[in-house]
Amino acid sequence: MLSSPVRLRPIRGALKAHDWLPIWCNLRSTGAGSASASNHSPSAILPAPSCARGRCLLLLLLLLLSDDLLKKTKAEGDSEEDESYNLTFCVVIDRRCDRAERRGVAVFGGRPSRHTPTMGSRRMDAPLLGLFLAHLATALEVPLDLLEGLPQPPTITHQSPKDYIIDPRENIIIHCEAKGKPHPSFSWTRNGTHFDIDEDPNVSMKPNSGTLVVDISRAKAEHYEFVYQCTARNKHGTAVSNNIVVQQSRSPLWSKEKVDPIVISEGRSLVLRCRPPAGLPPPIIFWMDNYFQRLPQSARVSQSLNGDLYFSNVLREDSRNDYICYARFPYTQTIQQKQPIIVKVLDLDAINDTMAAFYNDTDLFSEEPADERKPNFLLPSGPSSSKTVLRGQVLEMECIAEGLPTPKISWDKVSGDLPTKRTSFLHYEKTLRIVDVSESDAGEYRCSASNRLGSVHQTIRVTVKAAPYWISGAPRNLVLAPGESSVLTCRASGTPKPSVSWAMNGIPIENSPKDLSRKVEDDTIIFTDVQAGSSAVYQCNVSNDYGYLLSNAFVNVLSEPPRVLTPNHKVYQVIKNRQASIDCASFGSPIPKITWFKDSRSSTLDGDPYVLHDNGTLEIRTAQAHNSGKYTCVARNSLGNYENHIYLEVKEPTRILRQPEYKVVQLGRSAVFECKVKHDPSLIPTMTWLKDDGELPDDERLIVDSDSLTINDVSESDAGVYTCIMNTTLDHDSASAELTVVEATTPAVVYERPDPPTDLELTDQKKRSVQLTWIPGDEHNSPIHKFLIQYEDSLHHRGHWHNLTEVPGTRTTAHLKLSPYVHYTFRVLALNAVNFSRPSFPSRMVKTEPAAPDGNPTGVQGFGTEHDNLVISWKPLSGLQANGPGLHYKVMWRQKVVDSDWTTVTVANNSKFVVSGTPTFVPYELKVQAANDHGAGPEPAVAHGYSGEDLPVAAPDNVQAVMLNGSLAELHWDPVPAKSIRGHLKGYKVYYWKEHSLHKHHPHLVKSQILTFSGNHTRRMLPGLHPFSVYLFNVRVYNGKGEGPPSPDQQIVTPEGMPGAPSSLLVTNPNMDSLTLEWSPPHERNGHITGYTLRYQPVNNSNELGAVEELALPANETSLTLLNLKYGTRYKFYLNAITVRGAGPAISQEAVTVVDEAVASRQVDIATQGWFIGLMCAIALLILILLIICFIQRNKGGKYPVKEKEDAHTDPEFQPMKDDDCTFGEYSDNEDHKPLKGSRTPSNGTVKRDDSDDSLVDYGDGGDGQFNEDGSFIGQYSGKSASRDTAGGHESSEAPSPINTMNSLNSFV
């Protein structure tokens, strides 16, 4: 595997410094190396002694097996987000081992390095090495595309999602792609059993693929709703896919119901229920009117998450007869509507006047008009509620309140702060939305509704669960050589904690053939001394109640000599003074070691200016011309070596020598922008001109030459900024200038940049100053604003010009301050409205004498990196500030106590000094003074710092807890003395866990949680406690080094709370007038159950609810038989559990009593009665006579398009949309399930007649043709019938045709 540079991190164990040398952890990334120049840091290998004696190796293993080592490795290493880390430990053994047995650097589990142990020694230490490798892992990806014929077990590369929703109108495609050598074969299981594809003519498999295609033109999609799993296998192993649950999307029709008009008095609250049909996936809900316009929403009127429309208070203008709820089903792109709801809002007088006419002037509504009132929650109900959400998903909570005036909603988190970056408020602050939920989002949230009459609060307890997720990535593939050892790790987390199971080649590992080189330990498989032929694919399955993770990882045992994957004789080109990276990507097993040579191969390239990265890349940080040449990379392992030749060419940079200049040009004149460029002669340049950062206009007046742009006959549109860009294959340079176009004048005024100043003269020279004078150049019709004076220090920075000072354009002299030990040369530039002039010719050189430094370093600070040291750091002086040769620093320090002496050391030109052997966390006074060969700088100022921190040694005393409510406790403790903290106080941490519930049926749970409080606090809140439970907690102080010891565990006993819903409610033994209910107590009892409340009510066929009956039940009952119920009636039941704190949420269930068979038979037998048959025959005969009369009348009076006109007004069925043109497809003939009803004319309001239609109106002298030959009225047959329009207006409350719907919906659906 190609990897990025090594980064070395020190790891400290619990060992004394005089017994152990540092142990280093080499974190090696396995990402592919880049072929271009990179910014990688250099790698390094630290020489370190090792020892092969058993006693020393045992000490090493005991150290490595400590959990602290891994924790510190993660804490000090790179981010865990990088999944591709391998751990290679370079170990330094106990100094007390025999020095004669040391062999250099010992490397385990990764790339071989110097003095790799022999196979014999590796075999001898195999048992201990197996334990050691539990902390190590190597991963190597086999490059199949580059190495033909290299064997590899199968790898699943693409598969359908776990929950796969399909469109029932299209063929079903279940994806399964895999790679491997040889190419794998595929098979499928369906619902856990083998699926023989050949036996189903509707199913086929794509060639060289495992992807299934189901042709639904000959079958129904629902016949293929199963759980599928794909298997890919070759002779090296078997990989399996996830379980793919195939379900077709569903858009069921709205149930038929009668919607009664709603009459309500002004100011009252109102809820319009939508109750859409349950689809897969769920539909999107929105409310519109008859004209397909969104119903306006506000803080007073808003839609809830379930689609219901809530009115905090109604106004007169809310009266309308077209409140229509629409449901859009995304997969099938169909829209269905509920029957329109009529709402009439009346004040008290209007209600009485309206109803009195029907009820003998009786005052039906004697209640008072709705007065102003404080808020009350419509949603959710009760003082508190709960919600469970999964980690990584979206949490949405809503609070909708009624009241007059309209309440205002606000949100806050009781147990902390809202996550600002992930939080948003929707629906006029009524919905709180948190994306990417994490465990920290659990706790209590409070929404408040307030108006000027008062406020009300609602508490929502949020519980965060988590489906399994990878902690450090899925298991990585392993490529091992025979005899090597490694580990396969499947580390995941979740809430509740997930279980881990392993399989090999799709078979549970406990049922797989035994392998002595393999040992399974929970989430890790340890491989020791693997043998050829043991390649396999291992499956790791991590699951809990909320989901699962299935990952395939192969172990490929290969013996392969080195191969260099970078093409031979590849040429790298780089610009001078830039970074160059030359790749040597390699593959081999064991992993090859890379060595670089240049030209004569006299020595390896492993020192300045070369940096060798762990992935084989050779880096040159600043490429120069002499770095060009032929490079050779050699890859070696125990099976051989391989070399490759690569060439590096260092090119000169591209530079614009003469830039385009600002120009002011009159209309009709010409403008010329110059752009002269220098570039490497071997690179092909390309000149590009831009205008205002866009392409040049396509105009023949613009002429582009090799080094200029000419604009002839300038017009006003030519004004703008022109940019020339010179590109090569390696670099580019650019410069810009502005063109200003002015009206023509006589004579023409030409504005150009000034000429450079001349005759620079230095006078009145002193040690630290000199006088500079000059003569300005021609201004070219634009006054000079200022002069810029620059200098070159030929002693320290030859060839670099630095800005020194600026003077106004009216002056031609400047008094310049000089620094010691500088060789000055000056030049002057003039600036007018056009641009800077070219620089003047340089002045003569002025040399200043060396002197002691004028100042001292800044940024002096002191801190400790270990508990017994003090690091003094500062910002060093620049070369100009040194004032002379031999710059060095005097570093002074002393403890901040009375009469303590200063300790002084002299250090070279550096930026820090480490003082060892200091007491732990002691204040120091610090001074750093600059000096050179000519003396010391001024007396430095005193800075302050502290020596290194160590872990605190004391715990907080007098720790107490006071319960404020059922889930919130206030904690108190005494502060830890500063002397015992031994560092900067960062804060306190509270460790708490639920020891057990006070209810005997609940198991004991011990899962520690941590609450961190920054700062010096001694009183804090502990939220989120569970009622009726016993908690233990302790408090620890922590500083910059870590945590101190815990305080003694204290106990918190939480009071009883409201119970959860009963865990089950079943209906058994339904009879005509009775049934039996059976239930189980709640899982979350939260106290002693004192009883249950049962409420039930009948539900008719229109889903209207009847009167509620309520029963109080004792706590020890778990079943009840209800008598005297109505036969053939559906009932809805609600059951709550009760504690001393009140009733908890209810569980609901529905059941239907048995229909009386005698009554049912009487209802059916009516169709067999003789009188009923005779009546039907008479009606049929009457209809036949009427049809004969109509036919005779039509032939007698002429042909009129009555049927055609009526057909134009028939009720259209609501049809599903087609994805491509947003039109509607098939009609539904089911009269009971018409989503849209009501007759509508075409959009232009007319009905077009056929050309063959005949009418007397067409032959009349004009008019509407109201009468025929015999004087009878035929207006109902006319296309202009007013009566037809009137009839249509009667159904204005019905929804319009779906054909017109989409034109209005396209903007927001």
Side-chain angles (χ1 to χ4, degrees):
M1 172 62 72
L2 306 178
S3 57
S4 42
V6 175
R7 289 179 288 275
L8 294 177
R9 306 288 189 186
I11 299 179
R12 300 293 180 185
L15 300 175
K16 296 181 180 179
H18 66 270
D19 286 336
W20 290 83
L21 292 174
I23 294 175
W24 296 88
C25 171
N26 170 1
L27 288 173
R28 177 159 60 85
S29 169
T30 60
S34 172
S36 59
S38 62
N39 295 320
H40 295 324
S41 58
S43 63
I45 296 180
L46 296 181
S50 66
C51 180
R53 284 189 176 181
R55 64 183 181 89
C56 299
L57 183 58
L58 180 58
L59 290 174
L60 170 65
L61 295 175
L62 291 177
L63 171 66
L64 293 176
L65 288 173
S66 68
D67 290 335
D68 293 338
L69 178 62
L70 285 181
K71 293 178 181 177
K72 293 186 178 182
T73 303
K74 291 181 180 178
E76 297 177 355
D78 288 51
S79 169
E80 291 186 4
E81 293 178 1
D82 188 343
E83 301 178 353
S84 54
Y85 283 132
N86 299 327
L87 299 180
T88 302
F89 285 85
C90 301
V91 183
V92 180
I93 305 300
D94 190 347
R95 283 179 173 173
R96 292 170 292 185
C97 294
D98 187 353
R99 295 179 181 272
E101 295 184 10
R102 295 179 181 172
R103 300 181 180 178
V105 177
V107 179
F108 297 89
R111 174 176 302 193
S113 65
R114 311 175 201 167
H115 307 290
T116 303
T118 64
M119 291 299 293
S121 64
R122 179 184 301 180
R123 202 173 298 116
M124 177 183 66
D125 296 330
L128 294 177
L129 187 59
L131 294 174
F132 169 71
L133 287 171
H135 295 274
L136 309 181
T138 58
L140 184 65
E141 186 70 24
V142 179
L144 288 179
D145 299 335
L146 302 177
L147 300 178
E148 294 294 336
L150 197 65
Q152 182 177 353
T155 301
I156 301 289
T157 58
H158 178 57
Q159 57 183 309
S160 294
K162 296 178 182 178
D163 296 312
Y164 188 23
I165 301 177
I166 59 171
D167 189 335
R169 300 169 299 180
E170 298 178 355
N171 287 345
I172 304 172
I173 300 178
I174 310 175
H175 294 280
C176 180
E177 305 290 345
K179 67 177 182 178
K181 286 291 176 74
H183 190 73
S185 61
F186 298 88
S187 62
W188 287 85
T189 62
R190 190 166 72 175
N191 285 357
T193 61
H194 176 67
F195 179 30
D196 191 345
I197 299 169
D198 296 332
E199 292 185 357
D200 192 330
N202 300 321
V203 182
S204 62
M205 185 184 297
K206 290 186 177 180
N208 298 319
S209 167
T211 298
L212 294 183
V213 179
V214 181
D215 184 1
I216 65 168
S217 63
R218 296 172 296 179
K220 293 184 178 181
E222 57 262 30
H223 295 166
Y224 292 90
E225 290 184 300
F226 298 102
V227 179
Y228 296 84
Q229 188 172 41
C230 172
T231 300
R233 59 170 54 88
N234 64 16
K235 64 182 180 180
H236 302 295
T238 302
V240 298
S241 71
N242 293 319
N243 284 328
I244 303 170
V245 181
V246 175
Q247 295 176 284
Q248 69 164 335
S249 62
R250 288 177 169 81
S251 51
L253 299 175
W254 222 299
S255 59
K256 187 175 181 180
E257 60 178 332
K258 179 182 178 182
V259 181
D260 294 328
I262 298 174
V263 179
I264 188 172
S265 59
E266 186 174 14
R268 300 293 178 186
S269 62
L270 175 63
V271 182
L272 301 183
R273 304 293 182 186
C274 181
R275 298 190 184 98
L280 183 67
I284 300 169
I285 306 302
F286 50 94
W287 289 79
M288 295 197 301
D289 60 14
N290 247 341
Y291 301 97
F292 311 112
Q293 299 298 316
R294 284 262 194 181
L295 294 176
Q297 298 189 21
S298 62
R300 184 180 63 85
V301 183
S302 63
Q303 179 180 318
S304 66
L305 295 176
N306 70 351
D308 294 343
L309 193 62
Y310 282 79
F311 295 77
S312 296
N313 50 79
V314 294
L315 303 177
R316 291 290 298 275
E317 53 263 31
D318 293 328
S319 296
R320 61 191 308 151
N321 57 6
D322 57 353
Y323 284 96
I324 306 174
C325 180
Y326 288 86
R328 180 169 73 88
F329 296 87
Y331 267 71
T332 56
Q333 292 297 312
T334 59
I335 298 177
Q336 298 188 32
Q337 73 160 71
K338 185 184 178 74
Q339 288 294 325
I341 302 176
I342 301 173
V343 175
K344 184 70 173 178
V345 180
L346 302 174
D347 58 22
L348 184 62
D349 294 336
I351 293 175
N352 286 329
D353 293 344
T354 302
M355 296 301 178
F358 296 97
Y359 298 97
N360 299 323
D361 296 329
T362 301
D363 186 358
L364 296 178
F365 292 83
S366 58
E367 61 178 85
E368 294 296 324
D371 295 327
E372 291 190 349
R373 60 191 181 278
K374 66 179 292 186
N376 185 39
F377 280 113
L378 298 173
L379 190 72
S381 59
S384 64
S385 59
S386 61
K387 193 174 185 69
T388 300
V389 65
L390 291 183
R391 176 184 183 271
Q393 294 187 352
V394 177
L395 170 63
E396 287 185 325
M397 298 176 284
E398 61 180 348
C399 282
I400 302 178
E402 63 92 14
L404 192 65
T406 301
K408 181 179 180 182
I409 305 295
S410 61
W411 292 86
D412 65 277
K413 186 176 181 182
V414 178
S415 53
D417 297 327
L418 293 173
T420 308
K421 295 183 179 180
R422 296 185 289 113
T423 301
S424 58
F425 299 96
L426 310 175
H427 304 145
Y428 305 93
E429 309 291 318
K430 298 177 184 179
T431 301
L432 172 63
R433 189 173 193 263
I434 301 176
V435 300
D436 193 18
V437 170
S438 65
E439 287 80 358
S440 62
D441 296 321
E444 291 187 349
Y445 294 78
R446 180 174 58 197
C447 67
S448 303
S450 60
N451 60 17
R452 61 172 175 261
L453 300 181
S455 62
V456 64
H457 307 284
Q458 168 76 220
T459 300
I460 304 175
R461 180 190 296 273
V462 173
T463 302
V464 178
K465 302 292 185 180
Y469 59 92
W470 300 119
I471 295 176
S472 55
R476 305 284 295 177
N477 297 329
L478 295 179
V479 177
L480 303 175
E484 287 190 332
S485 302
S486 189
V487 295
L488 198 61
T489 303
C490 179
R491 193 152 295 151
S493 183
T495 306
K497 183 180 179 180
S499 60
V500 179
S501 61
W502 288 93
M504 186 183 82
N505 294 332
I507 301 173
I509 201 162
E510 56 270 17
N511 299 333
S512 300
K514 300 297 181 182
D515 188 347
L516 296 179
S517 66
R518 181 185 68 225
K519 182 179 180 182
V520 180
E521 293 187 356
D522 193 22
D523 61 359
T524 302
I525 301 181
I526 304 170
F527 297 95
T528 307
D529 194 18
V530 297
Q531 300 301 314
S534 59
S535 298
V537 182
Y538 290 85
Q539 288 81 35
C540 168
N541 191 317
V542 187
S543 61
N544 65 9
D545 295 340
Y546 299 97
Y548 73 94
L549 294 172
L550 176 64
S551 178
N552 293 273
F554 65 68
V555 176
N556 200 3
V557 182
L558 293 175
S559 293
E560 289 291 327
R563 309 186 198 186
V564 175
L565 307 181
T566 303
N568 197 17
H569 301 296
K570 184 174 182 178
V571 177
Y572 286 86
Q573 295 180 331
V574 68
I575 295 297
K576 183 180 177 180
N577 294 324
R578 294 190 181 178
Q579 184 189 68
S581 291
I582 312 173
D583 291 334
C584 184
S586 63
F587 176 80
S589 182
I591 301 175
K593 179 182 178 181
I594 303 299
T595 309
W596 283 91
F597 302 92
K598 184 177 186 293
D599 295 334
S600 63
R601 304 183 65 165
S602 58
S603 62
T604 59
L605 305 179
D606 56 1
D608 191 56
Y610 301 102
V611 177
L612 178 59
H613 291 298
D614 193 53
N615 65 351
T617 298
L618 182 68
E619 177 187 336
I620 306 172
R621 297 212 170 157
T622 306
Q624 301 297 327
H626 67 268
N627 296 129
S628 297
K630 175 183 174 182
Y631 290 80
T632 302
C633 78
V634 180
R636 292 187 179 89
N637 69 9
S638 58
L639 301 177
N641 61 67
Y642 191 103
E643 70 176 38
N644 217 13
H645 302 296
I646 297 171
Y647 297 87
L648 176 64
E649 298 176 356
V650 180
K651 306 293 185 179
E652 291 293 326
T654 302
R655 292 289 179 266
I656 295 178
L657 301 180
R658 184 161 187 175
Q659 301 181 358
E661 300 177 354
Y662 172 78
K663 293 187 178 297
V664 178
V665 180
Q666 293 180 353
L667 287 169
R669 300 294 183 92
S670 296
V672 179
F673 290 106
E674 291 185 299
C675 187
K676 295 187 180 296
V677 180
K678 176 185 177 184
H679 61 86
D680 191 285
S682 65
L683 299 177
I684 300 175
T686 303
M687 175 73 75
T688 304
W689 285 89
L690 303 177
K691 179 179 184 293
D692 296 330
D693 295 329
E695 295 183 358
L696 286 179
D698 186 10
D699 193 332
E700 61 183 9
R701 297 181 300 108
L702 278 66
I703 302 173
V704 178
D705 293 325
S706 60
D707 57 2
S708 66
L709 170 65
T710 303
I711 307 174
N712 295 318
D713 191 17
V714 171
S715 63
E716 291 183 355
S717 62
D718 295 326
V721 176
Y722 291 82
T723 303
C724 75
I725 303 175
M726 176 60 74
N727 286 294
T728 69
T729 54
L730 297 181
D731 67 341
H732 73 277
D733 196 10
S734 63
S736 300
E738 185 176 0
L739 172 63
T740 300
V741 181
V742 297
E743 294 288 341
T745 60
T746 306
V749 178
V750 179
Y751 301 94
E752 295 181 359
R753 67 176 182 173
D755 290 339
T758 59
D759 297 336
L760 272 64
E761 184 177 358
L762 296 170
T763 58
D764 194 19
Q765 181 175 348
K766 299 178 181 178
K767 282 187 177 182
R768 296 290 185 95
S769 66
V770 70
Q771 187 86 7
L772 175 64
T773 60
W774 62 89
I775 297 175
D778 191 342
E779 296 180 345
H780 293 295
N781 301 313
S782 179
I784 295 175
H785 298 323
K786 65 181 179 181
F787 292 98
L788 173 64
I789 301 171
Q790 298 179 329
Y791 74 92
E792 177 194 20
D793 179 7
S794 57
L795 180 62
H796 300 102
H797 300 95
R798 178 181 293 274
H800 294 272
W801 290 90
H802 308 275
N803 294 341
L804 181 60
T805 187
E806 296 177 352
V807 297
T810 57
R811 293 175 54 184
T812 58
T813 183
H815 187 75
L816 307 178
K817 293 183 178 181
L818 307 179
S819 296
Y821 197 53
V822 178
H823 294 180
Y824 284 102
T825 302
F826 301 100
R827 70 182 187 184
V828 183
L829 294 85
L831 176 67
N832 65 5
V834 178
N835 207 340
F836 274 105
S837 69
R838 294 190 300 275
S840 67
F841 288 108
S843 69
R844 63 179 176 86
M845 184 179 294
V846 176
K847 298 181 179 180
T848 56
E849 297 297 327
D854 294 328
N856 292 307
T858 58
V860 179
Q861 56 180 339
F863 55 91
T865 57
E866 300 293 340
H867 68 89
D868 58 352
N869 75 2
L870 170 68
V871 179
I872 305 172
S873 66
W874 59 90
K875 182 180 179 181
L877 300 182
S878 65
L880 192 64
Q881 296 171 322
N883 286 3
L887 177 64
H888 57 275
Y889 301 98
K890 294 181 180 180
V891 182
M892 296 161 275
W893 69 92
R894 67 178 182 184
Q895 289 192 30
K896 194 176 179 181
V897 294
V898 181
D899 297 332
S900 178
D901 295 329
W902 289 93
T903 302
T904 304
V905 297
T906 300
V907 299
N909 190 3
N910 208 335
S911 62
K912 68 177 182 179
F913 178 76
V914 180
V915 182
S916 301
T918 62
T920 301
F921 199 66
V922 172
Y924 278 84
E925 293 181 331
L926 316 169
K927 293 193 295 186
V928 180
Q929 185 180 32
N932 59 22
D933 294 345
H934 294 266
E939 179 65 23
V942 177
H944 301 277
Y946 281 86
S947 58
E949 299 178 82
D950 205 348
L951 296 177
V953 296
D957 293 327
N958 195 23
V959 178
Q960 301 178 23
V962 177
M963 289 300 301
L964 301 181
N965 58 43
S967 61
L968 181 65
E970 185 178 41
L971 309 183
H972 307 259
W973 62 84
D974 293 340
V976 176
K979 185 176 181 180
S980 300
I981 296 176
R982 301 205 298 177
H984 296 286
L985 174 64
K986 297 295 185 181
Y988 291 88
K989 293 185 179 181
V990 176
Y991 285 72
Y992 67 100
W993 60 95
K994 181 179 177 181
E995 186 182 38
H996 62 85
S997 171
L998 291 175
H999 197 281
K1000 62 181 180 180
H1001 296 286
H1002 285 195
H1004 288 213
L1005 299 173
V1006 179
K1007 184 178 180 182
S1008 179
Q1009 301 182 66
I1010 305 174
L1011 206 57
T1012 302
F1013 303 110
S1014 301
N1016 190 14
H1017 299 289
T1018 60
R1019 180 192 300 261
R1020 273 295 177 262
M1021 299 297 179
L1022 180 60
L1025 302 180
H1026 199 277
F1028 204 52
S1029 302
V1030 176
Y1031 284 84
L1032 295 179
F1033 76 96
N1034 59 59
V1035 184
R1036 313 177 191 192
V1037 67
Y1038 72 99
N1039 58 19
K1041 192 72 173 179
E1043 300 174 8
S1047 65
D1049 290 348
Q1050 301 293 321
Q1051 188 180 76
I1052 301 176
V1053 180
T1054 57
E1056 293 190 44
M1058 288 187 294
S1063 56
S1064 67
L1065 177 60
L1066 302 176
V1067 178
T1068 61
N1069 302 325
N1071 295 310
M1072 285 194 302
D1073 60 351
S1074 67
L1075 49 77
T1076 301
L1077 298 176
E1078 297 179 356
W1079 62 88
S1080 301
H1083 289 303
E1084 300 292 338
R1085 303 196 180 194
N1086 298 342
H1088 295 291
I1089 302 297
T1090 60
Y1092 295 92
T1093 298
L1094 174 66
R1095 292 177 295 118
Y1096 62 96
Q1097 57 190 142
V1099 183
N1100 62 18
N1101 292 333
S1102 300
N1103 290 325
E1104 295 175 343
L1105 302 176
V1108 178
E1109 300 287 341
E1110 184 170 323
L1111 298 176
L1113 307 174
N1116 57 355
E1117 279 196 14
T1118 57
S1119 64
L1120 176 68
T1121 299
L1122 294 175
L1123 304 175
N1124 300 323
L1125 301 178
K1126 298 178 181 179
Y1127 65 85
T1129 302
R1130 181 159 56 106
Y1131 284 88
K1132 191 162 188 177
F1133 303 93
Y1134 311 88
L1135 183 68
N1136 306 70
I1138 305 173
T1139 64
V1140 294
R1141 293 295 303 275
I1147 183 174
S1148 63
Q1149 185 61 273
E1150 291 189 9
V1152 180
T1153 54
V1154 177
V1155 178
D1156 189 331
E1157 295 181 1
V1159 174
S1161 63
R1162 287 197 299 271
Q1163 293 175 346
V1164 174
D1165 289 342
I1166 189 174
T1168 63
Q1169 301 298 313
W1171 64 268
F1172 179 80
I1173 296 174
L1175 177 61
M1176 292 296 102
C1177 292
I1179 293 174
L1181 179 61
L1182 180 60
I1183 292 174
L1184 178 60
I1185 294 172
L1186 290 176
L1187 289 175
I1188 294 172
I1189 294 173
C1190 289
F1191 179 78
I1192 296 173
Q1193 186 69 20
R1194 179 179 179 84
N1195 290 337
K1196 176 182 178 182
K1199 178 181 178 182
Y1200 298 96
V1202 178
K1203 181 67 169 66
E1204 289 82 353
K1205 292 183 181 294
E1206 290 182 349
D1207 286 345
H1209 291 270
T1210 56
D1211 294 349
E1213 291 285 354
F1214 201 95
Q1215 305 169 41
M1217 293 188 298
K1218 297 181 180 178
D1219 292 336
D1220 52 349
D1221 58 1
C1222 293
T1223 61
F1224 290 80
E1226 304 165 356
Y1227 281 85
S1228 172
D1229 294 332
N1230 190 345
E1231 293 294 325
D1232 293 335
H1233 298 286
K1234 292 183 180 179
L1236 291 174
K1237 293 186 177 181
S1239 299
R1240 305 290 292 181
T1241 62
S1243 57
N1244 60 3
T1246 65
V1247 179
K1248 184 179 178 181
R1249 294 196 305 269
D1250 242 343
D1251 292 340
S1252 62
D1253 289 350
D1254 195 11
S1255 173
L1256 291 175
V1257 177
D1258 298 330
Y1259 299 96
D1261 294 331
D1264 294 333
Q1266 304 296 317
F1267 299 91
N1268 61 8
E1269 292 92 332
D1270 58 3
S1272 61
F1273 181 72
I1274 61 169
Q1276 65 266 30
Y1277 302 119
S1278 172
K1280 301 180 181 180
S1281 172
S1283 63
R1284 182 68 177 176
D1285 293 339
T1286 304
H1290 181 66
E1291 296 197 11
S1292 61
S1293 64
E1294 296 291 325
S1297 167
I1299 301 298
N1300 299 323
T1301 303
M1302 295 312 301
N1303 295 330
S1304 300
L1305 301 186
N1306 281 340
S1307 60
F1308 50 83
V1309 178

